Amino acid sequence: MLLEKITFTKRKTERKERRKRRPQNNQKTNNKMAGVSPYLSIITLNVNGLNSPIKRHRVAEWILKNDPTICCLQETHFTYKDTHRLKIKGWKKIFHANGNQKRAGVAILISDKIDFKTKTIRRDKEGHYIMIKGSIQQEDITILNIYAPNTGAPRYIKQILLELKREIDPNTIIAGDFNTPLSALDRSSRQKINKETSDLICTIDQMDLIDIYRTFHPMAAEHTFFSLAHGS
């Protein structure tokens, strides 16, 4: 039905130009001295519930196998009393947003391999989004993980983006499950994009956000979930 895993970032035109002017040899030396990779690996996954010990174990194995820098999870189905159950070796920094019932729920996990310093955390009381502001090697970064409800997803995403507009800067990465196809390639059927989705796309363009996947794969048709009932 949808390309559920979506990752956005804001344009960094000026910053890229500045980095291009830096001497390449100095850049390599600085990276070596810092002992860190100049790249961040970020993965996002709708886990559809983590209350089962077997499920948590499998997700932990999947994360360790892929070895990302940052991992964003949606639909953890935790309440605030359950979050301690998610433990992964080498991942002490785990941030949750949950409601009072076992539904929705999002989490951002940050590997111990990087020196991440948390500055602020903003959570949705129903567990639909969490935003963390911090720094990695003195570079500011904002991570926003969103899980949109199945009903009215485009309208919800647009509302959240507008509410957090002042918090979103060129160092922001937005990941999650939007429950919304943003282009014809993201649908397995020939259904047209409705007005609510068109409004969301317009908002994304106005905020100068970039769909990272579409940037690198402009013509690829990839689908992460098929709905027999919707035929898409």
Side-chain angles (χ1 to χ4, degrees):
M1 183 178 179
L2 315 171
L3 181 68
E4 296 188 357
K5 286 78 173 177
I6 298 178
T7 309
F8 285 99
T9 188
K10 203 168 177 67
R11 295 183 190 277
K12 297 184 179 180
T13 306
E14 294 180 0
R15 188 167 190 165
K16 284 182 178 178
E17 290 175 353
R18 287 198 300 268
R19 286 183 175 176
K20 285 180 181 178
R21 289 197 291 266
R22 293 177 182 174
Q24 189 173 4
N25 291 337
N26 289 347
Q27 183 67 48
K28 289 182 178 179
T29 303
N30 290 339
N31 288 336
K32 187 175 181 180
M33 289 174 65
V36 295
S37 168
Y39 304 103
L40 290 179
S41 171
I42 301 174
I43 57 176
T44 177
L45 178 69
N46 184 317
V47 294
N48 194 24
L50 288 177
N51 286 291
S52 163
I54 295 176
K55 190 77 167 288
R56 290 196 299 274
H57 178 71
R58 288 177 177 174
V59 168
E61 283 188 331
W62 179 79
I63 291 173
L64 292 172
K65 179 181 178 181
N66 285 275
D67 192 28
T69 310
I70 298 168
C71 180
C72 295
L73 304 179
Q74 303 86 41
E75 281 203 277
T76 59
H77 294 178
F78 284 148
T79 66
Y80 68 93
K81 296 180 180 178
D82 302 320
T83 56
H84 67 278
R85 295 179 179 177
L86 182 60
K87 296 179 181 179
I88 302 174
K89 187 176 180 180
W91 295 76
K92 295 186 181 70
K93 298 184 181 73
I94 303 179
F95 307 89
H96 295 269
N98 308 95
N100 295 321
Q101 299 181 13
K102 291 186 177 182
R103 61 186 184 190
V106 290
I108 296 176
L109 297 77
I110 300 175
S111 172
D112 294 348
K113 293 180 180 179
I114 62 169
D115 181 24
F116 181 84
K117 290 182 171 56
T118 309
K119 294 181 180 178
T120 61
I121 303 174
R122 183 166 176 172
R123 295 179 172 93
D124 170 43
K125 293 181 180 179
E126 295 182 356
H128 282 284
Y129 79 81
I130 181 170
M131 182 176 69
I132 300 175
K133 284 185 172 292
S135 64
I136 300 174
Q137 298 296 322
Q138 298 181 341
E139 289 281 344
D140 289 337
I141 183 171
T142 299
I143 308 162
L144 174 59
N145 183 16
I146 304 175
Y147 168 65
N150 292 322
T151 304
R155 186 170 61 253
Y156 177 83
I157 294 295
K158 178 183 175 181
Q159 176 187 336
I160 294 302
L161 290 178
L162 291 176
E163 284 181 5
L164 302 176
K165 187 175 181 178
R166 293 184 179 181
E167 305 285 343
I168 297 173
D169 58 27
N171 295 320
T172 300
I173 296 169
I174 305 171
D177 182 350
F178 277 23
N179 267 319
T180 303
L182 297 176
S183 73
L185 288 172
D186 297 331
R187 286 184 179 271
S188 55
S189 71
R190 296 295 181 182
Q191 292 178 347
K192 293 182 179 180
I193 292 177
N194 59 31
K195 184 180 182 303
E196 288 187 351
T197 303
S198 296
D199 289 344
L200 171 59
I201 295 171
C202 183
T203 299
I204 290 171
D205 289 340
Q206 289 174 353
M207 293 180 66
D208 211 15
L209 299 175
I210 305 168
D211 184 339
I212 296 174
Y213 180 83
R214 278 281 160 249
T215 299
F216 287 99
H217 308 279
M219 300 304 296
E222 297 285 345
H223 312 285
T224 58
F225 177 73
F226 179 79
S227 170
L228 185 62
H230 292 86
S232 62

